[in-house]
Amino acid sequence: MNTDRIFEAFPAPSYRGNQEQALADIHDAFRAGNDVVLVRAPTGSGKSLLARAVAGCAQTVDEADPSEATGAYYTTPQVSQLDDVAEDELLSDLNIIRGKSNYTCILPEERNTPVNQAPCVRERGYDCSVKHRCPYFSDRAIASNRAIAAMTLAYFMQTAGSEVFRKRDVVVIDEAHGLAEWAEMYATIQLGPRTVPFWDELRVPEIDGTERAVRYADNLADTCNRRKDDLLAQQSLSPGEVRERDRLQELIGELEWFVADYRDPQSPTTWLVDQSEPERSDDQAGNESERGGPLTIKPMNPEKYLSHTVWDRGNKFVLLSATILNKAAFCRQVGLEPANVALVDVGHTFPVENRPLFDVTQGKMTYEHREETTPKIARTIVRLMAHHPEEKGLIHAHSYDIQQRLADFLRDFGVGERIRTHDRDGRDAELEAWKATDDPDVFLSVKMEEALDLKGDLCRWQLLCKAPYLNTGDSRVAHRLEEGQWAWYYRAALRTVIQACGRVIRAPDDYGSTYLADSSLLELFERARTDMPEWFNAQVDRITEPELPAFDPQAAIAGSSSASGDGRSSEPSQKRSFSRSRRRSSNSSPVADVWETDR
């Protein structure tokens, strides 16, 4: 890696904000001997441009010995982030490759067939006459032979050990704050009717421990291998059989990894096994029988998995995010040695007065208080709609249950014509439709705290309905809390809040207000104060209570003279320091506030 190229590799004609200083700090961090540099850069810092500059420092073929790694990888867990890279002219030399399912076969009779179901994967020995023009293999060949290959983190991990995408000199991971969680998700094994093609044929026992799960996984892998071999012996396969073969191959790899890792005495991974309630069915004789339910096998602290899929893939690494909150904790989670890791902090260039936080808390949104608090939040949304009569708003509902309750209340209040929602299947289409409209509609969203760019008039205000604590019904979360890892728990929630706050302000001259409806958010800020970046700490210190119009549904849908017309928040009626407000009692247990399942 030649870090002296970092400035000339910067792709923009000029620097913005703190970019030049950030590049200098990254340069110095590598020159000091670090193998990994964490770059904590807030929204609007131009992280993708910084990433391109670092990738440009990778060793070239002309500079390297034949056995040495050259070139760079750019990867991100967010598909939307990769889409943004693809559309950015300044990043045109990042050669993007996606999974086969994203490409369509170009054979005349297969125009609607994704490449992962095309004849080349359906028929044994198939010789494709147009493979040299196939969009997937063309993109793969280009990405594998050019200096910078760009892909999603999922594709990057899946190609570990590939002869095509070998080790490179530099790996850049954008939006890297959730790397440990992504690794745990990718390494989680789901065994049930949707993931095991022949689930109904299996005799699934009740699993009473991890050792029993390992024995069952070992046997299931053998069964999958036999089924796969039977499919491979066929001359040609139907699209459904292709999907089954590919799923079996994935499942075999997952099961064999689990068995090998569990039996490795040096592995740091802890495995947890969850099983659903036993299933009851009738056997061939009509007698009712009971079988074990679906299984979920989850890894904790997947350092070994990350070692194989990420850390073995490069010589030097840069990980960028606005919310790598604690260097030591992050390194522990992903299996890095902190002594070989540097943290570069990039200052925020957005004026703090343009990104205000407002206290409109109505009570707690934990499950036992939700019935009482939700209608109060719905009424607050009506008042906010009147306060922002001509501006689009975003409601972070946290869950579909909360979204539905709020939508029902708002329709009952008579403001439904200004409300939009989405379901799991139509979220992207509904989001794009809302972004495209000029109407001041309010979008009730679920899990849109990240990877959403609502610059300018796309959205001027948003409301956080619930402190985004992780679901304690998840066995991994419960396990960590049983071990007393409360700081990790608070950091995870704070990270989501900070990410959410960045959705509505995207440039130094942009502005957007974030309203806090759940009183647990204020307690979260107190508990996680030591892990806050300074620039977010400044926002928290300025929290005030806004002066909102009275509850008036007609004003919310038609505008009101009492509402602020220019989109900027009015002066608060009470201005007070957050650090002096709402202190919780020293006798208060944190469990009382956050121990819940999101139902």
Side-chain angles (χ1 to χ4, degrees):
M1 182 181 192
N2 181 1
T3 54
D4 290 338
R5 282 202 298 265
I6 197 167
F7 295 104
E8 66 183 71
F10 186 73
S14 61
Y15 298 110
R16 176 165 54 85
N18 293 317
Q19 290 173 333
E20 186 173 16
Q21 184 61 53
L23 293 178
D25 292 342
I26 294 169
H27 170 274
D28 293 346
F30 278 120
R31 290 297 293 269
N34 295 288
D35 297 322
V36 181
V37 176
L38 311 179
V39 180
R40 184 162 59 190
T43 300
S45 303
K47 290 192 292 293
S48 297
L49 300 181
L50 299 178
R52 168 60 185 85
V54 173
C57 298
Q59 190 168 222
T60 66
V61 174
D62 294 337
E63 296 169 336
D65 293 333
S67 61
E68 291 181 325
T70 62
Y73 287 116
Y74 170 88
T75 182
T76 173
Q78 305 288 358
V79 174
S80 59
Q81 180 71 19
L82 196 65
D83 292 341
D84 291 343
V85 167
E87 295 171 2
D88 193 331
E89 293 182 358
L90 294 175
L91 303 174
S92 59
D93 61 348
L94 271 66
N95 297 277
I96 294 175
I97 175 65
R98 305 175 190 269
K100 284 184 178 181
S101 62
N102 294 281
Y103 298 85
T104 302
C105 182
I106 59 174
L107 289 169
E109 65 277 14
E110 302 284 349
R111 295 291 187 184
N112 296 319
T113 304
V115 171
N116 65 338
Q117 297 178 28
C120 59
V121 295
R122 294 201 314 258
E123 300 179 23
R124 185 152 52 97
Y126 184 84
D127 184 15
C128 182
S129 61
V130 295
K131 183 175 181 178
H132 61 290
R133 293 193 290 114
C134 172
Y136 170 72
F137 287 102
S138 175
D139 276 5
R140 191 181 73 164
I142 293 171
S144 63
N145 287 290
R146 298 290 172 82
I148 308 174
M151 59 196 70
T152 63
L153 185 63
Y155 189 89
F156 180 70
M157 288 181 164
Q158 289 165 5
T159 55
S162 165
E163 286 298 310
V164 178
F165 293 106
R166 301 182 181 184
K167 182 177 181 178
R168 295 202 172 193
D169 188 36
V170 174
V171 177
V172 180
I173 306 177
D174 206 351
E175 301 298 339
H177 51 272
L179 183 58
E181 290 82 359
W182 282 95
E184 288 182 352
M185 183 186 75
Y186 292 144
T188 292
I189 305 169
Q190 301 280 356
L191 301 179
R194 297 180 62 182
T195 57
V196 180
F198 50 94
W199 178 258
D200 291 339
E201 302 172 26
L202 294 174
R203 294 182 61 84
V204 184
E206 290 192 49
I207 304 298
D208 56 3
T210 310
E211 185 64 48
R212 182 69 183 90
V214 170
R215 294 197 301 271
Y216 180 70
D218 209 3
N219 292 332
L220 181 57
D222 290 340
T223 304
C224 290
N225 267 307
R226 291 193 296 271
R227 299 278 294 218
K228 185 195 70 173
D229 291 343
D230 290 343
L231 290 170
L232 292 176
Q234 300 181 35
Q235 192 64 32
S236 64
L237 302 175
S238 67
E241 289 171 328
V242 168
R243 289 192 294 272
E244 180 176 350
R245 180 202 62 193
D246 292 346
R247 177 57 196 139
L248 288 172
Q249 186 60 55
E250 292 174 355
L251 190 56
I252 291 165
E254 292 170 355
L255 294 168
E256 290 180 346
W257 172 268
F258 165 52
V259 172
D261 184 83
Y262 181 80
R263 291 176 176 169
D264 178 4
Q266 304 302 316
S267 174
T269 311
T270 297
W271 292 89
L272 302 177
V273 181
D274 298 334
Q275 186 171 31
S276 301
E277 290 296 319
E279 300 174 341
R280 297 184 181 277
S281 60
D282 293 336
D283 60 23
Q284 293 181 344
N287 299 316
E288 187 177 60
S289 61
E290 187 175 281
R291 52 181 287 180
L295 292 166
T296 303
I297 303 170
K298 305 175 183 180
M300 300 274 294
N301 309 111
E303 291 99 328
K304 184 177 178 182
Y305 181 79
L306 282 169
S307 177
H308 169 63
T309 59
V310 176
W311 308 129
D312 289 346
R313 308 287 297 281
N315 294 323
K316 302 291 184 181
F317 295 82
V318 169
L319 281 63
L320 303 103
S321 172
T323 50
I324 297 176
L325 301 180
N326 183 298
K327 172 191 165 183
F330 180 84
C331 290
R332 284 196 304 271
Q333 290 174 336
V334 300
L336 292 174
E337 174 52 57
N340 299 325
V341 178
L343 175 64
V344 169
D345 254 320
V346 181
H348 211 316
T349 58
F350 297 2
V352 68
E353 58 268 21
N354 286 10
R355 44 188 170 95
L357 297 174
F358 290 110
D359 176 0
V360 293
T361 53
Q362 300 299 310
K364 292 185 182 297
M365 281 293 283
T366 47
Y367 190 75
E368 63 271 24
H369 296 103
R370 193 171 301 171
E371 195 75 30
E372 176 185 356
T373 307
T374 303
K376 297 178 183 178
I377 292 178
R379 292 177 66 88
T380 300
I381 292 173
V382 174
R383 297 175 68 192
L384 288 169
M385 292 167 67
H387 192 53
H388 298 271
E390 299 178 357
E391 294 174 331
K392 296 161 79 170
L394 178 68
I395 309 299
H396 294 284
H398 185 75
S399 71
Y400 285 99
D401 173 67
I402 295 173
Q403 180 206 57
Q404 186 59 56
R405 293 187 191 206
L406 288 173
D408 289 344
F409 278 118
L410 293 169
R411 293 186 185 107
D412 289 344
F413 292 153
V415 299
E417 65 190 63
R418 199 177 159 189
I419 298 298
R420 290 175 180 249
T421 62
H422 66 86
D423 56 21
R424 288 177 175 83
D425 296 328
R427 54 183 285 129
D428 292 340
E430 292 296 337
L431 172 63
E432 291 306 312
W434 172 68
K435 289 168 64 177
T437 185
D438 292 329
D439 296 329
D441 291 350
V442 178
F443 193 48
L444 272 60
S445 71
V446 179
K447 303 302 180 187
M448 291 190 182
E449 296 91 350
E450 297 188 34
L452 185 58
D453 184 349
L454 299 176
K455 58 188 175 184
D457 291 335
L458 286 176
C459 187
R460 289 297 184 191
W461 62 278
Q462 61 181 345
L463 177 77
L464 302 184
C465 289
K466 185 182 183 301
Y469 288 114
L470 296 174
N471 184 358
T472 54
D474 185 306
S475 55
R476 277 180 297 218
V477 177
H479 180 83
R480 287 186 169 111
L481 294 185
E482 287 169 3
E483 294 184 337
Q485 296 184 36
W486 287 96
W488 161 84
Y489 193 63
Y490 299 140
R491 274 195 302 271
L494 177 63
R495 192 176 71 196
T496 301
V497 171
I498 295 175
Q499 288 285 336
C501 289
R503 297 315 97 207
V504 298
I505 174 166
R506 311 293 298 179
D509 59 349
D510 201 357
Y511 60 90
S513 299
T514 298
Y515 297 92
L516 312 171
D518 180 3
S519 59
S520 294
L521 285 162
L522 303 182
E523 294 169 358
L524 168 64
F525 293 157
E526 183 181 336
R527 289 167 172 156
R529 174 73 77 159
T530 57
D531 286 317
M532 282 185 191
E534 289 186 11
W535 55 266
F536 189 73
N537 193 59
Q539 286 178 253
V540 171
D541 280 342
R542 292 172 57 92
I543 289 178
T544 54
E545 295 178 356
E547 189 174 280
L548 298 179
F551 176 78
D552 183 350
Q554 286 304 308
I557 59 175
S560 169
S561 60
S562 63
S564 174
D566 64 359
R568 294 185 184 271
S569 300
S570 59
E571 283 298 313
S573 57
Q574 290 181 308
K575 200 163 188 174
R576 57 196 174 101
S577 167
F578 171 73
S579 61
R580 295 195 302 269
S581 68
R582 306 197 182 199
R583 293 285 184 183
R584 61 187 173 93
S585 165
S586 60
N587 295 324
S588 174
S589 166
V591 179
D593 292 330
V594 300
W595 189 269
E596 62 161 323
T597 58
D598 185 36
R599 284 172 275 186

